Every structure is written in structure tokens, then in C-alpha cells.
Amino acid sequence: MSELAIQPVYKRVLLKLSGNSFCRSGESGITMAEVSNVSEQIRRIHQTGVQLAIVCGGGNILRGRDFAAVSASIQAPTAHYMGMLATVINGLALQDALENVGVPTRLQTAIRMEGVAEPFIRRRCVRHLEKGRVVILAAGTGSPFVTTDTAAALRAREINADVVLKATRVDGVYADDPEKNPHAIRYSDITHQEVLRQGLKVMDAQAVHHCMEQNIPIVVFNYQKPGNLERVIAGEKIGTRVGNPVRDA
Ligand code: UDP
């Protein structure tokens, strides 16, 4: 696929990058080679003119629920705030990696930390997008007990994104765990309602609910296959599309 050939089918996209896209498979922490790899893919879609906001996860550093479960002296909300701060660490890494390949960015956080990033202000975020800056959204929702998937869905609603792209290491949504069941069927299209009814692990239920309420499709795809992010942006049928069966792009 040549760099200039892609015509984006979306105007504004919310990309959810989980913490595990910041490290090697099976590892934790941050590996800048992985972050650079994702950044290069983002650079390529940025030059199509698509407006791009990115919500970072933090699971490569700390997940609140898991950390609280193994740490008797930590209160659950504290652990969740630690998780939110982890997403800011990832956001900073992503910002530098993107700027290193020439992509203009802004980092906005749901927890104020003026010395590090702008606060999330919806109108300001939209303005940055209109000016062609990639906006990295960190610190989730700013409130404990939810995930960055929910933050991604909420922000998608707030900024009127046309689609939520959920970057994963699997090829889409399966009827069963493809790692345990090699015969598991992959859905190419499925509705939000069906995802919720079957309890499929796409994004958490709150996130799917938010997208369903505003009729925002979710595309779940394997970001590790070269060119996949571009193909999704170009409207190719990659991975699984969660949404109404009608064309909405
Ligand atoms: N978190 C939170 N509120 C939010 C978003 C995230 O408390 O609005 C915490 C939560 O503890 C979560 C952690 O931040 O486990 C890291 O985010 P997440 O687990 O969603 O990261 P991912 O799985 O995408 O890497």
C-alpha cells in the first residue's frame, strides 16, 4: 500500500491503545522499539488527513484491580489512581515517539498535572484535532474503578468520533478464546447488543454500552500485522466490526 494511496473513510477516529502495545508480548514496562513501531503506523494514517485521538492504557505498568488484590496495604482507589498515572507515563512515551517521526501531538490528562500535560478540555481537544494534531488522552476518566476502554468510549462520545478502533494482538472478536480453542470462529460483523448478550471480550460492558447508545462502531483489529491500521482507516474489512449492519462510514 503506497503512502499516498489511502483515502480515509472516517473523519475523526478514537484509537484505543492498550498498555500491552507499549511493551513486548508477555513482558511489562515500556519498550521504546514497540512504541516506535506503533508510532510509525500512526504517522502513516496521520498523513491521510484523518483526525486522530488516542486513549492510552496502562496495564503494562499497573492495573488497579490486580495491584489492590495482591497488596494488602493499598486501598483499591489508590491502586486505580496509580493505574491512571501509569497511562500518563505511556502517554509521554508515545508523545515523544510520535514527535520523533514528525507527528504533531498534544498530551491531555484527565487528572490535572500542568507541568506535564494539558488538562483534558473537550473543546480544546477538538480544536487540536481540527488543526491536525494527534491528541493523546491519558489518565483515563480521572475516576477510579473503571478502565481505559470506558475512557475511550466516553471520549469518543464527547468528541463525536466516527469510530473506536481497538488495537489488539488478536485478529478480532471470537466466539471463544482463540488461544485455548484453535477452532474458535471469528466474527467479521456483530452488533453491540450481541456482544453484550454473549459477554464477548471486546471492550468492557460499560464501554460497549456507551458506543451502542451513540451508535459508534468499534473495530477490533490486530495492530501488529503491518498495514492493518491503514487498511482499517481505508475502510477495508479487517478484524471485527461491532455495530449496526448498515454502513455508517
Ligand atoms: N483506571 C482508572 N480509571 C480510568 C481508567 C483507568 O482507575 O478511568 C485505572 C485502572 O486501575 C486500570 C488502570 O488504570 O486498571 C490501567 O488502565 P487499563 O487497565 O484500562 O489499561 P489497559 O488494559 O488498556 O492496558
Side-chain angles (χ1 to χ4, degrees):
M1 197 179 287
S2 104
E3 287 215 344
L4 296 173
I6 311 156
Q7 278 296 326
V9 295
Y10 306 109
K11 179 167 180 267
R12 185 172 294 159
V13 165
L14 190 301
L15 174 66
K16 165 68 205 298
L17 280 184
S18 295
N20 64 14
S21 43
F22 289 79
C23 61
R24 291 201 189 90
S25 184
E27 294 185 4
S28 58
I30 299 183
T31 302
M32 281 313 284
E34 296 291 322
V35 186
S36 298
N37 174 31
V38 178
S39 298
E40 175 54 25
Q41 296 192 52
I42 293 169
R43 183 190 71 76
R44 291 169 70 97
I45 61 162
H46 175 254
Q47 61 181 23
T48 68
V50 73
Q51 296 180 13
L52 185 62
I54 304 173
V55 167
C56 300
N60 55 317
I61 300 172
L62 190 141
R63 284 204 173 86
R65 207 175 48 185
D66 299 348
F67 192 65
V70 297
S71 317
S73 56
I74 287 277
Q75 295 177 26
T78 309
H80 286 285
Y81 280 110
M82 292 167 76
M84 284 184 261
L85 296 183
T87 73
V88 180
I89 295 176
N90 285 338
L92 285 166
L94 181 63
Q95 181 170 40
D96 271 14
L98 283 172
E99 299 232 321
N100 193 44
V101 291
V103 178
T105 65
R106 290 291 186 275
L107 176 63
Q108 294 198 335
T109 56
I111 297 172
R112 293 182 88 95
M113 45 183 94
E114 279 80 356
V116 172
E118 293 178 6
F120 172 73
I121 296 170
R122 187 182 72 84
R123 284 171 175 275
R124 206 155 159 189
C125 174
V126 168
R127 188 83 187 109
H128 288 319
L129 295 172
E130 287 168 349
K131 286 187 169 176
R133 298 168 184 145
V134 170
V135 183
I136 302 165
L137 300 168
T141 61
S143 297
F145 304 115
V146 291
T147 68
T148 52
D149 279 357
T150 297
L154 276 173
R155 295 304 187 226
R157 289 187 83 165
E158 285 189 76
I159 66 170
N160 262 324
D162 302 315
V163 67
V164 170
L165 305 183
K166 165 93 174 169
T168 71
R169 285 183 168 152
V170 289
D171 286 329
V173 180
Y174 289 80
D176 197 2
D177 184 345
E179 284 176 8
K180 292 184 189 139
N181 175 5
H183 304 296
I185 293 165
R186 180 174 64 79
Y187 296 104
S188 58
D189 287 280
I190 188 167
T191 61
H192 299 98
Q193 288 89 339
E194 201 48 33
V195 165
L196 292 170
R197 196 186 67 77
Q198 292 190 42
L200 296 172
K201 301 215 170 351
V202 175
M203 298 176 98
D204 60 65
Q206 276 188 61
V208 177
H209 256 288
H210 278 296
C211 291
M212 184 171 71
E213 274 182 12
Q214 199 152 313
N215 194 20
I216 303 174
I218 306 167
V219 178
V220 183
F221 70 102
N222 187 342
Y223 74 95
Q224 291 197 307
K225 289 200 176 150
N228 259 6
L229 182 55
E230 287 167 273
R231 291 191 187 103
V232 172
I233 292 290
E236 281 185 43
K237 280 184 79 82
I238 301 285
T240 299
R241 182 184 172 287
V242 180
N244 287 343
V246 290
R247 266 183 64 92
D248 34 23

